[in-house]
């Protein structure tokens, strides 16, 4: 099955993708991660993309298409696409070259997303992630793994979060409209437990 997964930061998108990948073998393909891997390995594409990523800009489509096409063609059992498409050109490229079975939209209000992201914490030393609402450390402020100090990330302040949310809406609006028209969009309530979200996805995909 070929799926596009759309969800605001804080909606649990990454977690849901991982659960689906483990259960059904559909490959979780995240363009952001593909670029980060290329940067780490210092590939030519990675070096080209880094310039844009460091400035917080979208990487030009020709580089994105190259990376996406390779990854999707290798996903034999299907894919869960995350972070792509982010504009109309990318959308056109995708539907021209690949069959999309369903588009899952994890519904979460902006206020809920802000609340969750403001509650995110990370260990300063080992980078393990926590959340003071639903993923607490055993001892407050101290990492369970390495006893390091647990802090809030610099970019998890309200202003930066609001900016990221606005960007998300701008990038996904047309994609959501397009797949709604095609009758492929599935709404999932992301304001429930991880297990309940997963079960709702499975039920609505009829798998
Ligand atoms: P992300 O982890 O999804 O926020 O992606 C990190 C960065 O990678 C973005 O800020 C962009 O610079 C780049 N990127 C990821 N996906 C795309 C895409 N579909 N189109 C263009 N640039 C992308």
């Amino acid at each position: 099955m070929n799926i596009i997964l759309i969800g605001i930061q804080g909606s649990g998108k990454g977690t849901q993708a991982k659960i689906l990948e483990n259960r059904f073998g559909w490959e979780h393909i995240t363009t952001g991660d593909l670029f980060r891997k290329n940067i780490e390995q210092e590939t030519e594409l990675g070096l080209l993309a880094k310039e844009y990523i460091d400035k917080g800009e979208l990487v030009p489509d020709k580089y994105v298409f190259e990376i996406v096409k390779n990854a999707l063609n290798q996903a034999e059992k299907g894919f869960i696409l995350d972070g792509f498409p982010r504009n109309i050109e990318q959308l056109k490229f995708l539907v021209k070259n690949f069959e999309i079975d369903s588009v899952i939209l994890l519904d979460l209000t902006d206020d809920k997303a802000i609340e969750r992201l403001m509650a995110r914490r990370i260990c300063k030393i080992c980078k393990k992630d926590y959340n003071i609402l639903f993923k607490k450390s055993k001892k407050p402020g101290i990492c369970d793994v390495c006893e390091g100090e647990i802090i809030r990330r610099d970019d998890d302040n309200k202003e930066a979060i609001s900016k990221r949310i606005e960007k998300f809406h701008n990038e996904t609006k047309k994609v959501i409209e397009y797949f709604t028209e095609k009758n492929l969009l599935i709404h999932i309530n992301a304001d429930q437990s991880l297990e309940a979200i997963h079960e709702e996805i499975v039920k609505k995909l009829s798998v």
Side-chain angles (χ1 to χ4, degrees):
M1 180 159 295
N2 295 341
I3 292 170
I4 300 174
L5 185 57
I6 302 176
I8 200 164
Q9 261 197 320
S11 64
K13 185 173 54 145
T15 309
Q16 291 303 324
K18 208 172 286 165
I19 300 174
L20 289 169
E21 184 174 50
N22 287 339
R23 183 162 170 188
F24 297 106
W26 308 325
E27 212 166 308
H28 181 205
I29 293 167
T30 315
T31 42
D33 284 349
L34 291 176
F35 283 125
R36 280 184 283 274
K37 214 176 280 168
N38 271 270
I39 291 172
E40 219 178 272
Q41 292 167 352
E42 296 184 351
T43 66
E44 195 181 333
L45 194 66
L47 293 175
L48 288 165
K50 189 176 185 314
E51 247 181 73
Y52 300 90
I53 293 175
D54 284 350
K55 284 189 273 181
E57 291 171 12
L58 288 182
V59 175
D61 285 344
K62 60 177 175 178
Y63 305 136
V64 188
F65 294 165
E66 192 181 326
I67 219 167
V68 166
K69 205 166 187 171
N70 282 337
L72 297 191
N73 279 329
Q74 282 169 27
E76 284 173 9
K77 287 190 180 170
F79 54 76
I80 305 161
L81 191 50
D82 178 354
F84 185 95
R86 269 164 136 117
N87 59 37
I88 290 292
E89 294 312 314
Q90 293 185 2
L91 175 62
K92 283 187 192 156
F93 170 85
L94 182 65
V95 295
K96 191 173 150 212
N97 292 290
F98 298 92
E99 189 81 34
I100 301 299
D101 299 304
S102 275
V103 179
I104 298 171
L105 176 61
L106 297 175
D107 281 324
L108 193 71
T109 64
D110 289 359
D111 285 347
K112 260 275 177 271
I114 292 172
E115 189 185 306
R116 287 189 186 179
L117 294 172
M118 294 285 286
R120 280 207 307 199
R121 299 290 184 270
I122 189 165
C123 171
K124 205 171 164 179
I125 311 290
C126 76
K127 311 293 179 210
K128 181 175 166 51
D129 63 305
Y130 295 93
N131 189 298
I132 56 171
L133 294 176
F134 46 77
K135 198 174 173 188
K136 295 180 187 167
S137 57
K138 289 192 188 102
K139 289 185 223 160
I142 297 170
C143 178
D144 294 344
V145 179
C146 73
E147 302 221 308
E149 186 190 351
I150 295 175
I151 55 161
R152 180 144 86 185
R153 277 170 31 171
D154 280 348
D155 58 347
D156 279 344
N157 63 69
K158 202 160 181 186
E159 197 186 324
I161 290 170
S162 299
K163 252 189 211 157
R164 296 206 302 268
I165 288 178
E166 195 188 325
K167 211 166 148 193
F168 166 80
H169 288 304
N170 286 339
E171 286 173 355
T172 54
K173 197 165 167 257
K174 293 274 180 232
V175 179
I176 292 171
E177 273 171 21
Y178 177 87
F179 287 109
T180 302
E181 247 170 58
K182 297 272 170 211
N183 243 340
L184 289 179
L185 197 80
I186 294 175
H187 284 269
I188 302 290
N189 172 16
D191 191 13
Q192 48 182 345
S193 71
L194 296 179
E195 295 80 11
I197 297 176
H198 176 67
E199 285 317 315
E200 192 178 329
I201 292 175
V202 169
K203 201 169 144 204
K204 289 189 171 164
L205 285 178
S206 308
V207 282

